[in-house]
Amino acid sequence: MVVRHAVHGGYGDITPQTPEGRIITYLLVISGVGLVAFLTSLLIAAFAEKMDELREHRVYVEVEKCEGLIVVCGYGRMGQVVVQKLEEDGARFVIIDRDRDRVDLAKKRGFLAILGDASSNEILVRLGIRDQVGTVLCLTGDDVLNVYITLTARYLNPTLNIISRAAKPESARKLEQAGANYVIQPFEMVGLTVAEYVGQPVAFEAVYGMAGGDKYTRVEAVMAAEGSVLAGAHIGDIRFDDIRLILLGVIGVPHDSRENRPGYSLRSRFFYFNPPADFRLHAGDILVVFGHEYSIAHFKELADKGRLNLLRKRA
């Protein structure tokens, strides 16, 4: 086969003159462009991977500066709510999630986040689980994964504070056995709250306030100190409605008067959800109240000053 060509212009361009020559030229052009595109994609992929490594390294460098770090495992709906509250409180935390979209969302919001498995020994050790981390929050929607995270974290640090979410009631016991200090069952708590407070405008006003992002509506712990007006009082004595507060429950140690009271085990203490009016408070008990921050501050002031008008007169 003979390929004729002609030279045009002053640049020495060679133009094929036969169909066969043109086909060969087209194939050379296409293969050349394809080769360049392939090599370019390899370079971009390698560069992107290197950038991910650099970003991840930056997260670990930032974490090294933190003491009492909180590790948030899972950035789903619950994790996002918890992280928002942690940010408002000025806490130092880092997020671990296996979902790239969630990690990208966390980074977009300016949070330290790592793409990976939170049950991995390597990741937890690099985060300083043995000396820098104070609390691990297992907030993934997978109970099995939460159990693995709890087991790994407890093995690496026996003194660590671990709080875990349990979607199923049967998982709560497994998480406690795995080493979780506290187990939260959100669906059960929401159901109990709705059942107990249905028809109470103040309760739903506070709930909607918090759900709507009202930063002034919050949950607070109030201690019944030794010698205060709260110690020895009954729940029915305290005018929560008058000061627009909701009592979610009481955290305390078991007493004879509470022997038959249903409660959720918190290691050495119990959480008594929405206790009845005849429930008696003891020194050291913690009242978990829910409402506007001004109402909470007013309640604390009344309790601290021993104001008698805090309590209703008993018949």
Side-chain angles (χ1 to χ4, degrees):
M1 178 182 67
V2 179
V3 180
R4 297 190 302 273
H5 63 274
V7 178
H8 303 278
Y11 296 98
D13 298 334
I14 299 176
T15 305
Q17 298 298 307
T18 64
E20 295 83 355
R22 292 192 181 98
I23 291 173
I24 293 173
T25 303
Y26 294 152
L27 292 175
L28 289 173
V29 170
I30 292 172
S31 61
V33 171
L35 179 61
V36 171
F38 176 71
L39 293 175
T40 302
S41 65
L42 287 179
L43 289 174
I44 293 174
F47 181 74
E49 183 178 348
K50 190 64 178 177
M51 287 300 297
D52 287 341
E53 291 179 4
L54 290 174
R55 292 193 187 99
E56 185 175 300
H57 178 70
R58 183 182 68 83
V59 172
Y60 288 117
V61 170
E62 290 292 327
V63 165
E64 288 178 358
K65 306 174 185 177
C66 303
E67 292 292 338
L69 183 72
I70 299 174
V71 177
V72 182
C73 306
Y75 194 59
R77 287 179 296 178
M78 177 177 284
Q80 291 176 27
V81 173
V82 171
V83 163
Q84 181 180 354
K85 179 62 177 175
L86 292 175
E87 183 188 25
E88 292 174 359
D89 293 342
R92 303 300 300 271
F93 58 88
V94 60
I95 300 165
I96 308 176
D97 202 299
R98 297 188 294 186
D99 189 298
R100 180 174 290 277
D101 291 338
R102 292 177 179 175
V103 172
D104 290 341
L105 177 61
K107 291 180 178 179
K108 185 178 180 181
R109 293 174 176 174
F111 303 137
L112 297 176
I114 295 173
L115 177 66
D117 187 350
S119 63
S120 166
N121 284 39
E122 180 182 355
I123 292 178
L124 293 179
V125 169
R126 290 189 66 184
L127 288 174
I129 192 73
R130 292 191 174 98
D131 49 14
Q132 290 179 274
V133 175
T135 301
V136 172
L137 305 179
C138 306
L139 304 179
T140 76
D142 187 342
D143 285 356
V144 176
L145 179 56
N146 287 336
V147 170
Y148 280 125
I149 296 172
T150 302
L151 283 169
T152 304
R154 179 59 66 208
Y155 170 75
L156 294 174
N157 188 343
T159 63
L160 195 66
N161 183 37
I162 303 176
I163 303 173
S164 183
R165 165 189 175 178
K168 299 178 181 178
E170 56 269 23
S171 301
R173 182 60 179 167
K174 296 177 182 178
L175 284 163
E176 289 180 356
Q177 293 175 339
N181 298 89
Y182 306 103
V183 178
I184 302 170
Q185 301 179 58
F187 300 113
E188 183 176 353
M189 291 299 295
V190 169
L192 288 172
T193 302
V194 172
E196 292 291 345
Y197 298 120
V198 65
Q200 297 188 33
V202 175
F204 279 95
E205 179 184 332
V207 171
Y208 279 120
M210 179 168 282
D214 182 4
K215 63 180 181 180
Y216 299 110
T217 303
R218 61 183 61 190
V219 177
E220 193 84 16
V222 180
M223 172 75 74
E226 183 73 40
S228 74
V229 292
L230 295 177
H234 292 79
I235 293 299
D237 296 333
I238 306 173
R239 300 179 297 165
F240 291 106
D241 292 342
D242 292 353
I243 51 181
R244 301 185 68 79
L245 284 180
I246 302 167
L247 177 67
L248 293 179
V250 176
I251 299 175
V253 296
H255 285 273
D256 293 340
S257 60
R258 304 173 181 175
E259 195 169 318
N260 298 321
R261 306 287 189 188
Y264 297 90
S265 175
L266 300 176
R267 297 285 179 176
S268 60
R269 289 174 171 254
F270 278 84
F271 177 70
Y272 301 94
F273 177 77
N274 190 28
D278 62 346
F279 186 94
R280 185 181 180 186
L281 297 172
H282 296 268
D285 284 350
I286 299 174
L287 287 75
V288 183
V289 295
F290 181 34
H292 197 280
E293 64 175 12
Y294 295 124
S295 298
I296 295 173
H298 180 55
F299 176 62
K300 286 183 175 180
E301 182 182 6
L302 292 174
D304 291 340
K305 292 184 177 180
R307 296 281 294 276
L308 296 179
N309 61 348
L310 173 68
L311 305 179
R312 286 177 179 160
K313 292 182 180 180
R314 296 182 62 82

